[in-house]
Amino acid sequence: MITLRGKGVSEGVAFGKLFFTRDHTANAVRTASGDAELELRRLKDAMKLASEQLEKLYAAALDAVGEKEAEIFQIHQLMLEDDDYQDFIRNMIESEKVNAESAVSAAADNFAQMFSEMDDPYMQGRTVDVRDISGRITRALMGEEDDQTSLSEKHIVGAEDITPSQALQLDKSLAMGFVTVGGSQTSHTAILARTMNVPAVIGVKELLCPEYEGLDCIADGFTGVVYLDPDEATIALYKAKEAELREKARLLEQMKGEKTATLSGQQIRLYANIGGLADIDAVLANDAEGVGLFRTEFIFLESERCPTEDEQFAIYKEALERLKCPIVFRTMDIGADKQAPWLSLKQEENPALGLRGARLCLARRELFEAQLRALYRASAFGKAAIMFPMIISKNEVLEIKEIAQNVRAGLTESGIAFDPSVELGVMIETPASVMISGELAEEVDFFSIGTNDLTQYTLALDRQNKELDRFYDPHHPAVIRMIRMVAQNAHAKGIWVGICGELGADMGLTDVFVEMGIDELSVSPSKILGIRAKVRAHP
Ligand code: PEP
Ligand code: MG
């Protein structure tokens, strides 16, 4: 048995074989081959194999999900056969006498760059595809199995790091846990793991040892310990722990249907955070009273291109209709660690301080207006509210309100139904917005405090930087005082205030939040019943 240690960031216990996922083109090592003939033959064989895999994937996808979804594999096939792409690789092998892997890797970089600089959003979307097919060829060259075809059994995903878009693409019925070398407590991948209720361990330094691949693995998302090839006693211990967790969950079932109110009768709304339609079942299963944060950007990250207004409308409408409870939609908070390749955002020195959230929405107004139209159209089918992330000034709020007003006017003119009473709110996640929360409260219907970013910006700590995890302290008095100040300013102006950052689920603070008069806590679905029990025990 091998024991590795990291940090648990999503509670639970996962069993499965360890499976590594990696960006193969990034790992391709450049070596001088000297034998161009040999490398060209290897390339030809790898391309043939990749092409056969794509044919199989197309046929399987056609059966499973239909023609529209399967089309992507035909596009990959065409890209693979593209003369320019193939010539680039062959020329490099012949002229620079390098191995085929590094020529494929260079082609991936070259074509990805070219696509990302195109104006047409469809062509920008091909950036991901050219990387994907290049990775497939590289895997074939290295004699490794195809990622997608080998993922047929329950497993634990191991990686250097997992981006939010990779996490969203994993088959959730098979990926039982995440274990990574990098990552941080409030990175979006850790948040996604908690929303999906998938145990996750980060910061496991020695993880990526090739001999570990395929070993039986147990990942403990509480303690951050990972066991490979576990012995009988450890398996028995964790089976018992799993049974205990099931029993705890069974006991919490009693909280279903109960009011979230303290013993003295103070009510608090207990809502769930979601990233898409896939999380709706968990919201219903855990008896959340509503959704306090729908991270709509995940719809954009999951997509190969910009989702159209109609596609977005269909998703928002379905969420409202299936949940039949209030939903606070956050407009796309893209930027920093949440990158949509088709948007081709410029690389930034400090992405967390860059063009993200509301700033991006105001810079790319056509995207923002389409999203607002889709959200307002969906509001005719349930109780929707809309909030805006990363606000720092009253001017931004005024500009956003004017855009929303124009969107409403356009819909009215076209005779399209929407709910005119949709509440508009802002996220309080920058120190600037805290300090002007009194003024902001005059402009909006509610506040939702994003403690993940508020902690990052208040403590000047990059939430993505795993080296800083031990300094990242959301209990810091500066953060707690800011939350109190925002609650006081909101209530003084008669608007409601919620917490939708991860701190909302911190049961060590539930009593404090109740005492501050926080009106709504929005947390991962799996935390709902435990917090309800905690609130009900409060005097
Ligand atoms: C936050 O910052 O607390 C928040 C809820 O938004 P996100 O984690 O998506 O940045
Ligand atoms: Mg945030």
Side-chain angles (χ1 to χ4, degrees):
M1 179 168 82
I2 302 155
T3 307
L4 304 175
R5 283 173 208 281
K7 181 171 180 185
V9 291
S10 179
E11 292 176 351
V13 175
F15 294 83
K17 287 207 186 313
L18 182 66
F19 171 82
F20 291 143
T21 178
R22 22 179 132 69
D23 177 357
H24 290 76
T25 53
N27 291 341
V29 180
R30 185 186 169 107
T31 56
S33 161
D35 189 347
E37 282 298 310
L38 172 72
E39 293 304 319
L40 287 172
R41 262 201 316 278
R42 288 182 65 228
L43 177 72
K44 192 170 165 216
D45 291 346
M47 287 219 172
K48 185 164 168 282
L49 185 63
S51 174
E52 287 164 6
Q53 286 171 353
L54 286 169
E55 269 171 36
K56 274 193 210 146
L57 283 169
Y58 176 73
L62 201 59
D63 263 1
V65 286
E67 196 170 339
K68 191 169 163 288
E69 302 296 328
E71 199 186 25
I72 188 65
F73 297 115
Q74 280 185 322
I75 295 175
H76 282 198
Q77 188 75 267
L78 289 175
M79 291 179 93
L80 182 81
E81 289 161 10
D82 180 75
D83 285 343
D84 290 340
Y85 178 73
Q86 294 209 2
D87 287 349
F88 184 102
I89 302 172
R90 288 203 194 96
N91 285 342
M92 192 166 164
I93 292 175
E94 281 169 346
S95 61
E96 298 186 29
K97 304 277 181 286
V98 292
N99 60 340
E101 285 88 337
S102 61
V104 173
S105 171
D109 288 344
N110 180 68
F111 285 86
Q113 165 96 14
M114 186 185 83
F115 286 131
S116 72
E117 283 168 0
M118 291 183 172
D119 289 331
D120 179 354
Y122 176 82
M123 293 313 289
Q124 287 171 7
R126 306 282 69 86
T127 310
V128 190
D129 299 313
V130 78
R131 291 217 176 271
D132 199 334
I133 56 159
S134 305
R136 183 176 296 288
I137 300 167
T138 313
R139 284 196 294 279
L141 280 166
M142 293 174 164
E144 290 181 13
E145 265 187 90
D146 182 28
D147 278 2
Q148 273 127 327
T149 48
S150 56
L151 275 173
S152 55
E153 63 180 315
K154 290 193 173 169
H155 60 273
I156 291 174
V157 182
E160 175 63 38
D161 211 343
I162 301 175
T163 65
S165 41
Q166 281 171 329
L168 288 162
Q169 281 164 28
L170 293 171
D171 181 338
K172 294 169 190 75
S173 62
L174 296 176
M176 309 313 288
F178 300 160
V179 183
T180 62
V181 179
S184 67
Q185 172 83 22
T186 48
S187 66
H188 283 93
T189 305
I191 291 173
L192 266 172
R194 290 193 283 272
T195 306
M196 289 155 66
N197 204 15
V198 169
V201 179
I202 60 169
V204 184
K205 287 201 192 74
E206 310 84 6
L207 177 72
L208 293 178
C209 169
E211 286 98 75
Y212 295 166
E213 179 135 42
L215 291 184
D216 284 334
C217 175
I218 298 175
D220 183 336
F222 295 97
T223 61
V225 181
V226 176
Y227 302 92
L228 297 170
D229 195 14
D231 57 27
E232 290 300 320
T234 308
I235 294 173
L237 189 79
Y238 275 92
K239 287 283 175 203
K241 199 160 184 172
E242 203 183 29
E244 191 187 308
L245 288 172
R246 263 202 306 272
E247 178 58 11
K248 245 192 193 154
R250 196 188 62 78
L251 287 174
L252 276 177
E253 295 270 306
Q254 294 167 3
M255 286 293 123
K256 284 191 183 167
E258 295 294 339
K259 266 199 181 145
T260 311
T262 62
L263 292 169
S264 59
Q266 183 187 336
Q267 291 216 17
I268 190 159
R269 295 195 302 268
L270 195 46
Y271 281 16
N273 293 345
I274 65 171
L277 295 176
D279 301 324
I280 285 186
D281 288 342
V283 176
L284 294 170
N286 290 285
D287 195 33
E289 297 153 28
V291 168
L293 169 62
F294 186 136
R295 288 183 163 95
T296 64
E297 60 275 9
F298 288 148
I299 297 167
F300 294 78
L301 304 192
E302 263 177 314
S303 186
E304 306 260 323
R305 53 174 174 76
C306 183
T308 63
E309 178 188 322
D310 283 346
E311 285 165 346
Q312 290 183 59
F313 163 68
I315 294 171
Y316 307 147
K317 173 173 177 272
E318 185 178 336
L320 286 161
E321 287 182 334
R322 277 175 59 196
L323 282 170
K324 298 187 187 66
C325 63
I327 302 182
V328 181
F329 293 94
R330 170 179 68 193
T331 54
M332 53 184 158
D333 185 18
I334 297 179
D337 63 321
K338 290 180 286 193
Q339 292 292 338
W342 51 264
L343 250 175
S344 318
L345 294 178
K346 290 216 165 56
Q347 279 226 321
E348 296 172 303
E349 285 273 331
N350 288 308
L353 304 180
L355 190 64
R356 59 165 297 199
R359 300 165 185 184
L360 179 69
C361 290
L362 291 173
R364 302 288 287 263
R365 282 202 36 173
E366 70 295 347
L367 293 180
F368 188 39
E369 285 168 3
Q371 179 170 39
L372 285 177
R373 267 197 308 275
L375 286 169
Y376 272 112
R377 283 169 59 196
S379 72
F381 299 88
K383 181 102 195 78
I386 305 175
M387 68 179 176
F388 308 99
M390 281 297 290
I391 294 296
I392 56 163
S393 74
K394 185 165 156 180
N395 278 346
E396 287 168 338
V397 177
L398 295 178
E399 203 178 331
I400 286 170
K401 279 173 66 180
E402 193 183 325
I403 296 171
Q405 168 58 34
N406 289 340
V407 165
R408 288 195 300 272
L411 291 174
T412 307
E413 214 169 279
S414 318
I416 297 173
F418 65 93
D419 173 5
S421 66
V422 168
E423 288 190 327
L424 297 184
V426 289
M427 291 194 67
I428 300 290
E429 46 186 356
T430 62
S433 63
V434 173
M435 298 314 288
I436 60 165
S437 51
E439 287 107 296
L440 292 180
E442 290 169 5
E443 299 298 334
V444 294
D445 301 306
F446 67 93
F447 287 157
S448 185
I449 307 176
T451 53
N452 309 332
D453 278 317
L454 186 58
T455 306
Q456 145 164 276
Y457 297 124
T458 302
L459 305 185
L461 281 170
D462 179 356
R463 66 193 263 198
Q464 291 299 117
N465 186 337
K466 71 172 194 295
E467 305 300 327
L468 300 179
D469 247 17
R470 77 187 177 94
F471 299 105
Y472 187 93
D473 175 17
H475 287 201
H476 193 293
V479 177
I480 304 298
R481 276 180 221 170
M482 282 189 171
I483 297 174
R484 191 181 299 280
M485 180 174 170
V486 172
Q488 282 166 350
N489 283 338
H491 291 152
K493 296 283 161 60
I495 67 167
W496 64 264
V497 57
I499 297 178
C500 65
E502 296 297 294
L503 205 60
D506 187 325
M507 293 223 250
L509 287 171
T510 308
D511 290 330
V512 177
F513 295 148
V514 168
E515 275 152 24
M516 283 181 189
I518 296 293
D519 302 282
E520 178 184 300
L521 290 176
S522 192
V523 299
S524 301
S526 62
K527 301 280 182 183
I528 295 276
L529 297 176
I531 297 176
R532 183 171 293 155
K534 183 85 188 163
V535 171
R536 287 171 63 82
H538 182 94

